[in-house]
Amino acid sequence: MDASVFVQSITSSPDYKQQIVHVEDIQSQEAIYAELNRPLKAALKTRLEHLGLSSLYSHQVEVLNATFSGENVILSSPT
């Protein structure tokens, strides 16, 4: 289902009355990639490459670097 059709569907549904207070269309942007401070384990790197994933997005790298440093992390990312 198209995202805009889904949003229209739930915002007009009585089940969601007054539960959705804001809808915003955020324009797409170019991907930003980054490098990890330390490499992934070989098996994980191989699996990602097998899936066609040779680069990580900057927010993914930021989370992994923080995790590797022992920090607590919560990640929320638009799709």
Side-chain angles (χ1 to χ4, degrees):
M1 174 185 284
D2 180 277
S4 62
V5 173
F6 175 72
V7 170
Q8 175 61 34
S9 171
I10 63 172
T11 55
S12 63
S13 169
D15 294 337
Y16 288 94
K17 186 176 183 177
Q18 298 179 341
Q19 292 186 40
I20 300 172
V21 295
H22 179 76
V23 175
E24 182 176 349
D25 183 17
I26 300 173
Q27 297 300 313
S28 63
Q29 62 184 30
E30 291 295 318
I32 301 170
Y33 300 99
E35 295 292 324
L36 290 167
N37 291 341
R38 68 183 210 200
L40 294 172
K41 292 188 177 188
L44 178 54
K45 185 173 194 257
T46 299
R47 181 65 180 145
L48 290 173
E49 288 172 348
H50 177 76
L51 293 170
L53 303 170
S54 59
S55 299
L56 295 173
Y57 296 117
S58 60
H59 67 283
Q60 294 169 321
V61 168
E62 184 178 355
V63 166
L64 287 170
N65 285 338
T67 302
F68 293 154
S69 297
E71 297 177 44
N72 295 316
V73 176
I74 296 175
L75 171 65
S76 176
S77 178
T79 56

